[in-house]
Amino acid sequence: PFDHKETHHFLKKIETAEKSDYKDSENTYDLAKELFEESDHIKALEITEKTISDHHGLKKSCSPHHQLQGDIFFSLARKADTTDIKCVYLFASVDAYSMSSLLCPDSVSSFYGCARSLIELGDQLGINSFYKKAESKARRGLSVKMLKPQDDLKAELEDLINLATWKMNINEAMLVKINVANQMQGQCKVDTYVIDRLKNLWGKLDEKTKREFLVVDSTSLIDYLHDNIYDKKMIEHISKCLCVDDELGWRWWKCRICPQVNYCFTDCKWHILDKHVHEFLPRNCSRPKRVDKFLADMICCGNWEPVDTSRAVDLIKARVKGREEFIYVNGWCNDWPVAKDEERKEILRQFAEVLKSSCSNDTLPCSLWDWLIDYTEENVNLPHVPGCYLDRWSFFKNPQCICFLDLKSLKYILEYVKQFTTDVRTGLVLAVVDRLGAKSLVNERIDLERGGLNLLLDERLLYEGEHGFDDLGTVRTFKSTEIYEHVIPKGDEIVSWVLDCPEIDTNFVSQVAEGVHNLEIWLAVLRIVRSTARKEVSYYSKRDKLQTYANMLGEAEALCDKEDKWRNAYQRSRYALTFRSVCERRVTQDNATKCCFLNVVRDVLQGAESPRFEVLQDKEFMECISELSTTVQNDVIRRSMCRLRKWLNEKLVLIDSKILLNEWTYKKLLAFAKLSAIDNRLVVLPLVKMFLQ
Ligand SMILES: [Zn+2]
Ligand SMILES: [Zn+2]
């Protein structure tokens, strides 16, 4: 039934297609590299991004393109003049290099680039963990087999490792404040004498002339520009900016990867999500549980004052004697004596702040809270107070119990909780997005006269007082200039408006005309968004694995508990033997959890330090299990299960926190679609002002 000849042809076709794929992506890579060397970052990024997007960035042939983007973003970071923009580029370059080394694990230069960007991030943000990550990346680069001892990169990687370790040690407690851009208002100051004179002249004009001032003939505007300095290319760009279809607008949202244009922010945001970010939607059941509203309220309403524990012990004794209770209202009781300890107070304040912000973002996992309470139970020091008293007042069910911890424990939980409830990228990216987004806002509307080529300026210019942003940028068309007839000019603010004219940057004009304005930072943030989406996928698969293991360990624990319940000792069998017979039964069934259960039993019997998640043949598992089942004693098994349980709980706390934080970061970062805005009026208005002068 198979036509061998045809399948053969088919295979050949695929082969050549794949080869030409490689060839194509090599050619475009060379071109992009050349453009980068000529420092045309925009074009170089556009070309590499096209290849990456075409293949969803997941082919081996994409690796050099990712790496080149890493180089480009790193060089943009070097050029950036504010810390936050610099860091956004550095984060993007780290992701680009990581993708490159993921697709091509022997790309030593990607490891090198990644480590270099991470060290720079450590320097910029004063955060030690970046040096640690840099060191491990550089070490992975060194371990690549193809690296020859005489290779330059080898020496450079070793230098990076030394640098990172050195910085880690000197940077222990350094904190750098992020300096948010202190942008100079790039506007030319006009002599107040000139302003006064012009205002005086304006005041003498009649209302009609004033109204006519709002009508700008675009043909004479272009002529005026021809007569002034501008070359053909520039005029072409300006004409493009001036040209709007009547139902469309000045303001548009342009995707920086594909030709898609939207005239509404929400549509643009959905387009980017739909087409360019591979969003991951987890099954509802694997989503980590968050603390409920009741507990969140208790955390947020407390005043978190440190408690004087020795006086507290006295108070407890007195209350027990007098048969008096401690009354908690919403998790807090005012009777506890406050300690006069400024240091503890400050740490508690910071700790509460972290918890409260986590609660308000709805990213505080139950598992983390349970861990905190367990930790507190183990470390609170209330000598001579029996646990049953504390239980009677639900002492450890109220957040206030944390206020009983001493300084050392408080410092520990603060660091522990802080590390996975804060993501420095969010604040940085949002600051950049907001600042650049604000720059594209325009106050004045511009309408068109139908038929003619007249621009009709915003009538509000003839009035006094502030007027808000026009963030729709729609263009209305009117039959004639009669629309101004009802306008009664007031004041002379229009004079300062006309004179307040930023310099016209030819580069900026061409970027607006071609829809590539802010392209570099847009792509950088997209990389960060995509990397959070990817991380979410890997976090969830890790969590599922841990969860299954925890469930199987639970089954094993239940088997042991069942044995303990037999009233007569002769009915009990040794845990290990029970395990063996259950395994023998399960091995004949074919279900998803079989392998994991065998793993758990083997880990327990062998006393493994942590779960091993190995995939072995059933036979290999069974051999090992039946051999050990004759020797391993019950107490050894209980200890082993305890150790594994503890390890799992710690990992689950970690992964739950990471998932929730990452999810929140992802949602926040989507605001970056704001950077898609392009407003032609940013080009048109300064020109109009210049013309009117
Ligand atoms: Zn697109
Ligand atoms: Zn819409």
Side-chain angles (χ1 to χ4, degrees):
F2 258 121
D3 184 343
H4 280 280
K5 215 167 170 191
E6 211 155 80
T7 35
H8 179 74
H9 274 299
F10 183 62
L11 281 177
K12 195 119 202 205
K13 234 183 196 165
I14 292 180
E15 246 169 42
T16 42
E18 232 163 47
K19 257 186 208 150
S20 77
D21 227 33
Y22 249 97
K23 234 4 319 111
D24 271 359
S25 97
E26 255 170 51
N27 287 339
T28 50
Y29 173 77
D30 290 340
L31 179 61
K33 199 167 161 58
E34 223 168 85
L35 286 163
F36 172 48
E37 274 153 16
E38 290 160 12
S39 60
D40 191 343
H41 295 120
I42 291 185
K43 281 257 160 54
L45 278 174
E46 268 184 320
I47 291 173
T48 48
E49 188 55 44
K50 177 139 189 5
T51 315
I52 291 172
S53 287
D54 282 354
H55 299 143
H56 300 290
L58 292 173
K59 272 196 165 174
K60 198 172 178 191
S61 59
C62 293
S63 168
H65 291 263
H66 284 293
Q67 195 189 331
L68 186 56
Q69 282 206 353
D71 293 342
I72 298 172
F73 286 130
F74 185 74
S75 113
L76 285 168
R78 285 257 154 109
K79 289 198 182 98
D81 44 14
T82 66
T83 310
D84 50 6
I85 294 186
K86 214 182 256 292
C87 290
V88 169
Y89 282 134
L90 287 171
F91 279 119
S93 81
V94 167
D95 177 63
Y97 288 127
S98 311
M99 274 308 276
S100 168
S101 59
L102 192 76
L103 296 170
C104 178
D106 42 57
S107 163
V108 181
S109 45
S110 296
F111 286 113
Y112 171 78
C114 200
R116 188 182 55 177
S117 290
L118 284 165
I119 290 181
E120 189 74 36
L121 270 172
D123 291 351
Q124 292 294 329
L125 297 170
I127 298 176
N128 244 342
S129 62
F130 288 115
Y131 299 130
K132 244 174 250 162
K133 285 183 192 155
E135 194 205 346
S136 101
K137 283 279 178 189
R139 286 202 190 283
R140 283 187 56 197
L142 272 184
S143 70
V144 170
K145 283 213 184 71
M146 275 152 70
L147 196 61
K148 292 179 197 79
Q150 69 274 24
D151 205 323
D152 284 346
L153 266 176
K154 187 171 181 277
E156 281 173 41
L157 281 169
E158 276 159 359
D159 285 348
L160 280 187
I161 291 174
N162 292 334
L163 187 64
T165 355
W166 179 69
K167 289 197 169 188
M168 242 184 283
N169 293 331
I170 58 159
N171 201 43
E172 226 34 306
M174 193 175 108
L175 260 177
V176 178
K177 248 195 124 181
I178 299 159
N179 74 319
V180 172
N182 194 3
Q183 229 93 40
M184 287 284 292
Q185 294 288 309
Q187 285 150 358
C188 37
K189 281 272 161 275
V190 188
D191 208 332
T192 44
Y193 169 73
V194 180
I195 298 184
D196 288 343
R197 213 171 53 105
L198 286 170
K199 282 191 172 172
N200 195 11
L201 281 174
W202 176 260
K204 285 180 184 147
L205 296 174
D206 61 35
E207 288 190 357
K208 189 164 168 282
T209 321
K210 282 181 183 171
R211 285 198 288 260
E212 275 165 4
F213 198 72
L214 294 183
V215 183
V216 180
D217 177 19
S218 50
T219 340
S220 34
L221 176 64
I222 293 279
D223 285 345
Y224 164 81
L225 297 175
H226 266 295
D227 299 340
N228 283 279
I229 38 170
Y230 297 127
D231 61 0
K232 234 177 111 198
K233 193 87 201 146
M234 177 72 166
I235 300 283
E236 206 177 283
H237 286 144
I238 291 172
S239 315
K240 219 169 162 185
C241 293
L242 268 170
C243 168
V244 284
D245 286 320
D246 29 19
E247 65 244 85
L248 304 181
W250 296 111
R251 196 172 172 80
W252 42 304
W253 278 266
K254 168 87 178 63
C255 177
R256 302 299 198 275
I257 297 181
C258 71
Q260 175 83 18
V261 169
N262 289 98
Y263 288 91
C264 143
F265 169 69
T266 322
D267 294 352
C268 172
K269 191 166 139 183
W270 283 116
H271 163 78
I272 296 169
L273 258 183
D274 246 27
K275 295 281 187 278
H276 306 301
V277 181
H278 307 287
E279 199 190 0
F280 172 69
L281 295 167
R283 282 168 294 138
N284 240 347
C285 60
S286 35
R287 207 157 165 254
K289 267 206 206 70
R290 277 115 345 119
V291 299
D292 58 20
K293 190 139 180 359
F294 185 64
L295 179 55
D297 272 351
M298 293 208 283
I299 290 169
C300 292
C301 78
N303 54 8
W304 296 89
E305 294 278 358
V307 172
D308 184 332
T309 43
S310 63
R311 277 166 60 209
V313 170
D314 294 339
L315 186 65
I316 293 172
K317 283 179 187 158
R319 292 267 170 118
V320 170
K321 221 175 187 175
R323 292 173 182 278
E324 238 186 305
E325 301 281 319
F326 286 91
I327 309 293
Y328 280 86
V329 180
N330 207 9
W332 298 84
C333 170
N334 286 327
D335 305 345
W336 297 114
V338 174
K340 286 192 189 64
D341 185 336
E342 287 307 315
E343 215 177 338
R344 262 174 85 202
K345 191 180 161 129
E346 174 57 22
I347 300 287
L348 258 176
R349 190 192 59 77
Q350 290 181 30
F351 178 73
E353 212 167 87
V354 172
L355 281 189
K356 284 176 190 174
S357 96
S358 247
C359 282
S360 66
N361 299 337
D362 198 16
T363 57
L364 187 63
C366 286
S367 52
L368 177 56
W369 182 256
D370 294 344
W371 178 88
L372 268 173
I373 294 299
D374 286 348
Y375 178 87
T376 308
E377 249 188 289
E378 273 168 39
N379 290 281
V380 153
N381 188 22
L382 290 171
H384 314 301
V385 177
C388 59
Y389 288 141
L390 298 176
D391 290 341
R392 203 193 296 161
W393 316 306
S394 312
F395 184 79
F396 289 111
K397 292 213 163 59
N398 296 304
Q400 196 170 17
C401 65
I402 294 170
C403 302
F404 285 71
L405 288 172
D406 63 8
L407 186 63
K408 192 169 143 256
S409 303
L410 285 175
K411 277 185 174 164
Y412 178 74
I413 56 172
L414 174 63
E415 283 317 304
Y416 188 78
V417 172
K418 216 163 70 180
Q419 62 177 321
F420 35 70
T421 49
T422 39
D423 186 335
V424 350
R425 295 174 310 170
T426 325
L428 287 168
V429 172
L430 292 182
V432 169
V433 168
D434 284 345
R435 199 169 65 247
L436 297 181
K439 274 192 186 169
S440 80
L441 288 172
V442 179
N443 291 81
E444 293 80 22
R445 314 180 51 109
I446 308 176
D447 294 314
L448 290 178
E449 192 180 343
R450 200 172 298 161
L453 290 162
N454 288 337
L455 301 176
L456 306 175
L457 298 183
D458 199 323
E459 62 184 52
R460 291 178 301 174
L461 286 171
L462 292 184
Y463 300 147
E464 275 182 319
E466 291 276 310
H467 45 276
F469 294 116
D470 172 46
D471 53 2
L472 292 173
T474 39
V475 178
R476 298 173 299 182
T477 56
F478 294 103
K479 257 199 213 116
S480 68
T481 57
E482 274 164 25
I483 52 152
Y484 292 127
E485 250 162 34
H486 69 282
V487 175
I488 298 156
K490 217 175 161 197
D492 50 16
E493 268 164 32
I494 189 167
V495 175
S496 4
W497 179 78
V498 169
L499 293 177
D500 177 17
C501 173
E503 224 161 304
I504 292 152
D505 176 11
T506 48
N507 223 352
F508 174 72
V509 173
S510 79
Q511 285 179 6
V512 169
E514 279 161 14
V516 294
H517 182 226
N518 280 338
L519 181 132
E520 297 113 312
I521 195 86
W522 192 97
L523 282 179
V525 182
L526 178 72
R527 277 217 90 107
I528 300 173
V529 171
R530 279 175 172 169
S531 93
T532 51
R534 265 199 321 273
K535 263 202 197 123
E536 200 70 355
V537 178
S538 71
Y539 286 159
Y540 266 108
S541 81
K542 196 170 173 195
R543 185 175 195 276
D544 282 347
K545 212 165 88 179
L546 290 172
Q547 196 65 61
T548 318
Y549 194 96
N551 292 344
M552 293 305 110
L553 184 62
E555 280 186 26
E557 284 160 349
L559 287 172
C560 301
D561 293 345
K562 210 172 132 199
E563 288 307 326
D564 288 350
K565 277 202 192 105
W566 293 111
R567 212 168 283 158
N568 298 320
Y570 65 88
Q571 281 173 304
R572 294 180 198 154
S573 89
R574 282 207 359 262
Y575 297 159
L577 291 173
T578 314
F579 284 161
R580 192 180 75 187
S581 63
V582 173
C583 285
E584 276 163 356
R585 212 172 331 121
R586 284 190 78 136
V587 89
T588 59
Q589 300 159 351
D590 198 38
N591 61 32
T593 52
K594 179 186 73 184
C595 179
C596 183
F597 185 77
L598 296 177
N599 242 319
V600 168
V601 171
R602 192 178 65 125
D603 285 348
V604 169
L605 292 178
Q606 290 188 335
E609 284 302 316
S610 60
R612 282 174 297 184
F613 302 107
E614 273 175 312
V615 184
L616 302 178
Q617 297 291 321
D618 291 349
K619 221 180 99 209
E620 289 172 89
F621 276 126
M622 287 315 295
E623 269 167 18
C624 168
I625 289 168
S626 32
E627 194 193 310
L628 288 168
S629 65
T630 54
T631 52
V632 182
Q633 297 301 314
N634 282 5
D635 55 335
V636 176
I637 287 182
R638 280 289 183 190
R639 271 203 300 278
S640 186
M641 289 194 300
C642 245
R643 194 167 48 233
L644 288 169
R645 178 60 72 189
K646 195 159 174 260
W647 188 94
L648 279 171
N649 282 346
E650 265 169 31
K651 292 293 158 183
L652 277 168
V653 169
L654 201 75
I655 203 82
D656 282 358
S657 313
K658 278 182 177 172
I659 285 177
L660 293 177
L661 177 65
N662 194 58
E663 198 180 85
W664 180 79
T665 303
Y666 173 78
K667 280 191 194 132
K668 282 275 161 192
L669 291 187
L670 290 182
F672 95 96
K674 276 190 211 160
L675 292 178
S676 309
I678 293 182
D679 204 311
N680 289 5
R681 289 174 296 178
L682 290 172
V683 170
V684 175
L685 281 173
L687 291 170
V688 167
K689 287 178 180 182
M690 225 170 74
F691 173 64
L692 292 177
Q693 286 172 16

